[in-house]
Structure formats: structure tokens, C-alpha cells
């Protein structure tokens, strides 16, 4: 399939569409909360998806570079690179007043948000758009949702996979025809709110020689599984009543408190943190209940109660004890058996 001819774009252009985009790719030392950005690239696009300019920088992570066999950036290469606070201003100028676009945008935004939090700066990003989600909305006939497959569909040639600048270029070239296809079909863009972190935590950094992070398809989060909740599920949360130990709680979208930190607090209170929404889910926590994520859509279809982060944090202060027998705790499985949580 060849690149879309912009002259075929339907008119008029949807007025609800954003006026500018920042196509972003970051390479990192890994996938965990203590991992750092080591390179970043931004292609700025206008409202029609045409390239205005691009920018690239290395970033000194102040730690081991992680999976060098993937990104190719060694400690020697990164030693003289600027620290993130030194490039934050330039990055902000390129993100300001634009929708952040990325392939698996939850990952790129999460890494960027943490770096800004460490630098005590607020990222000027209000919304993001994931090109995986857009490809699903357009029902593109892709064999999988890898960037390479999206690029091949639109005839875009990858030259240096896992190099931030080339990945951002490829995504920018593939995003434009996707954007035009959405405009022609009257498709609502899958925009999600970006919420800066006001509370976060880095886990201790230890050298990881030969470190290979485990991950599942369609998820950016590192492999992680907590012990099973020892309390039976008491059912759905009821408004004006306290949470009860054993309730199944799911999270969707951005939170001001680092997601893993918020999940840890829920577990410590005796709640079961669910990675998906089902008929057994007691409560969904989201700051953007009108978003089109699968979790919010399922919660609405099942009639699952929905509260925002502030209300949930308040409810966590006084969780009622479980009724009945406490179930025996199970041992935490090794990392290879862990299941990452998704957005």
C-alpha cells in the first residue's frame, strides 16, 4: 500500500480535531518506575499532519543504560550527554499546545511525566493520542500492532529501529495518512487526558548486568505480580459506604499519584488490584470517565461504579474489614510468571 495522497483528504477538515501534534519517541533504560530516558525525539506536525520540524537529543540517565542490545546506547556514548533537566525546557517548547502522539503512548508519556516530576517541572501536555488505539479505531488490517507493521501498511521504510529519531520519523509518516483516513471517515480521535505526577517514587536502583525486562504484548508495564488478595470479594462498591477489604479495584488513565504507588496503597489496605474490568469488578478508578478506554467502556456496560482518584484516595483512609474467613496468602511468583497491568 502506498502513502496517502493528501489531496484526497475529505473537506471540510473536522473542526474538533487538534491544531497541532508532537510525535514523540523515547528510548529508556527499562520499563520500571526507576528507569530513565536516554534519548528523545520530537517531530512537530501541523493540524493536517504535515511535518514542521524535528528535534533529537541524548540524555544522561545517571545510571546503567539497560538493554544496550536493543537501543545501542552505551555508557560511553551517554556519559557526555545532557541531564534531563538541561533539555526539559527545549522539550517543553516542542510539546507545548500540541497533542502528544506516540506508539503505545501510555509508556512514552509515563516516562516523560516521571522525568518532569524528578526535575520539579510540569510537562506542558494536556492530551495524548496512541497510534495503536487509532489503528484499532480505523480497523487497519495489521498482523499485529508493532510500529513496523503500521509502517509497512503505509509504505514507510524503517531505517534504524529503536533509534528515537528514526522511530519518531516513521511514526510521523504513518500518522499523517492515519489522521487523514480518520478525517475522511468521521472517526473520533482516541484522545486521552495527560495528568502530571504530583507524587511518585523511584525504587532503589541496582546494577543489572544482562538485564532483560519481561513484558507482555500491548503493555508497557514491567512484569509484576503481588501476592493474591487474602480476602473474599464482597461485591460492588456502594456510594456513601466505605470500601471493604477484598473488593476488586481497577484503574484506568492517568493519576496524579504514581500508578504503582496508588496500587500498592490499595493492596496494603486489603483490596484486590485487578488488571482488567469484568462483572466481578467492585470499582473503577479513573480521572477521565468519558474516555474511550476499554476499561471505562466495560465498566459502563457492566454498571460498575466509577470514582475519580481524589474520591478513591479519601476512601482508602477508612477501608472496612472483610467479612468471613481470610483466605491463605499465596507466595509471590518469580518475575517470569508475573503479569503486567495495563492502562
Amino acid at each position: 500500500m502506498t502513502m496517502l495522497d493528501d489531496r484526497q483528504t475529505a473537506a471540510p477538515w473536522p473542526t474538533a480535531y487538534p491544531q497541532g501534534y508532537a510525535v514523540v519517541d523515547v528510548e529508556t533504560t527499562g520499563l520500571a518506575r526507576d528507569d530513565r530516558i536516554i534519548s528523545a525525539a520530537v517531530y512537530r506536525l501541523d493540524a493536517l499532519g504535515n511535518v514542521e520540524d524535528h528535534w533529537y537529543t541524548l540524555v544522561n540517565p545517571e545510571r546503567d543504560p539497560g538493554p544496550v542490545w536493543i537501543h545501542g546506547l552505551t555508557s560511553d556514548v551517554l556519559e557526555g550527554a545532557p541531564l534531563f533537566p538541561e533539555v526539559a525546557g527545549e522539550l517543553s517548547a516542542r510539546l507545548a499546545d500540541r497533542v502528544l502522539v506516540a506508539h503505545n503512548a501510555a509508556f512514552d508519556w509515563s516516562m516523560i511525566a516521571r522525568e518532569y516530576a524528578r526535575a520539579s517541572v510540569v510537562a506542558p501536555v494536556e492530551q495524548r493520542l496512541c497510534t495503536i488505539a487509532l489503528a484499532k479505531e480505523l480497523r487497519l488490517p495489521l498482523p499485529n500492532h508493532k510500529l513496523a507493521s503500521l509502517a509497512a501498511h503505509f509504505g514507510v521504510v524503517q531505517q534504524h529501529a529503536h533509534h528515537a529519531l528514526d522511530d519518531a520519523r516513521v511514526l510521523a509518516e504513518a500518522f499523517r495518512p492515519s489522521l487523514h483516513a480518520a478525517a475522511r471517515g468521521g472517526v473520533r480521535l482516541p484522545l486521552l487526558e495527560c495528568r502530571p505526577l504530583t507524587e511518585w517514587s523511584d525504587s532503589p536502583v541496582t546494577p543489572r548486568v544482562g538485564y532483560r525486562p519481561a513484558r507482555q504484548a500491548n503493555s508497557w508495564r514491567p512484569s509484576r505480580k503481588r501476592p493474591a488478595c487474602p480476602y473474599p470479594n464482597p461485591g460492588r462498591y456502594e456510594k456513601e459506604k466505605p470500601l471493604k477489604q477484598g473488593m476488586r479495584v481497577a484503574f484506568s488513565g492517568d493519576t496524579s499519584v504514581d500508578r504503582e504507588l496508588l496500587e500498592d496503597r490499595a493492596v496494603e489496605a486489603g483490596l484486590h488490584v485487578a488488571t482488567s474490568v469484568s462483572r466481578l469488578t467492585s470499582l473503577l478508578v479513573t480521572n477521565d470517565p468519558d474516555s474511550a478506554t476499554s476499561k471505562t467502556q466495560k465498566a459502563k456496560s457492566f454498571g460498575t461504579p466509577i470514582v475519580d482518584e481524589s474520591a478513591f484516595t479519601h476512601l482508602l483512609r477508612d477501608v472496612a474489614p472483610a467479612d468471613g474467613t481470610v483466605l491463605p496468602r499465596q507466595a509471590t511468583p518469580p518475575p517470569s510468571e508475573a503479569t503486567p497491568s495495563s492502562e
Side-chain angles (χ1 to χ4, degrees), residues 32-268:
R33 64 166 61 152
D34 64 302
D35 280 301
R36 306 295 301 272
I37 290 175
I38 54 176
S39 66
V42 180
Y43 268 73
R44 288 195 291 190
L45 312 181
D46 65 16
L48 298 179
N50 300 310
V51 175
E52 295 178 331
D53 58 28
H54 64 269
W55 172 80
Y56 170 76
T57 185
L58 295 175
V59 181
N60 186 338
E62 301 183 276
R63 53 158 292 173
D64 66 285
V68 175
W69 59 90
I70 295 177
H71 51 64
L73 298 176
T74 64
S75 295
D76 290 341
V77 171
L78 297 170
E79 184 177 2
L83 303 178
F84 185 84
E86 297 172 325
V87 302
E90 181 66 24
L91 179 58
S92 292
R94 295 179 176 278
L95 298 177
D97 302 319
R98 295 172 185 268
V99 170
L100 184 150
V101 177
H103 201 66
N104 201 358
F107 171 74
D108 293 81
W109 166 244
S110 176
M111 297 303 297
I112 290 171
R114 285 198 180 108
E115 291 288 7
Y116 271 99
R118 292 184 184 98
S120 300
V121 179
V122 177
V125 180
E126 296 182 358
Q127 290 181 307
R128 67 176 179 266
L129 187 157
C130 179
T131 47
I132 294 176
L134 181 56
K136 292 179 179 179
E137 289 289 334
L138 295 174
R139 299 183 180 180
L140 300 182
L142 306 178
N144 53 55
H145 292 104
K146 295 180 180 178
L147 177 58
S149 297
L150 183 65
H153 178 76
F154 289 114
V156 180
V157 178
Q158 279 190 303
Q159 298 174 349
H160 194 170
H162 300 298
H163 186 289
L165 183 60
D166 195 60
D167 281 353
R169 174 193 62 82
V170 168
L171 188 58
E173 292 186 20
F175 175 64
R176 190 180 74 227
S178 298
L179 178 64
H180 286 225
R184 289 199 311 274
V187 174
R188 178 186 176 187
L189 297 181
L191 301 174
L192 292 179
E193 176 191 18
C194 285
R195 185 172 289 252
L197 288 175
T198 58
E199 186 178 354
W200 58 279
S201 173
D202 277 339
S203 56
V205 178
T206 56
R208 294 173 290 175
V209 178
Y211 167 66
R212 290 180 180 270
R215 64 188 300 181
Q216 281 192 347
N218 301 324
S219 175
W220 65 266
R221 290 182 182 270
S223 292
R224 188 172 190 236
K225 188 174 178 65
R226 304 176 180 87
C229 181
Y231 309 109
N233 185 356
R236 289 184 172 176
Y237 164 73
E238 296 181 38
K239 190 175 180 180
E240 306 299 336
K241 291 186 177 181
L243 293 171
K244 184 174 289 187
Q245 290 180 324
M247 283 186 169
R248 297 177 65 94
V249 179
F251 297 85
S252 179
D254 288 358
T255 51
S256 298
V257 176
D258 180 86
R259 173 78 75 82
E260 291 184 11
L261 208 56
L262 196 58
E263 291 176 351
D264 287 345
R265 290 172 182 171
V267 171
E268 290 168 3

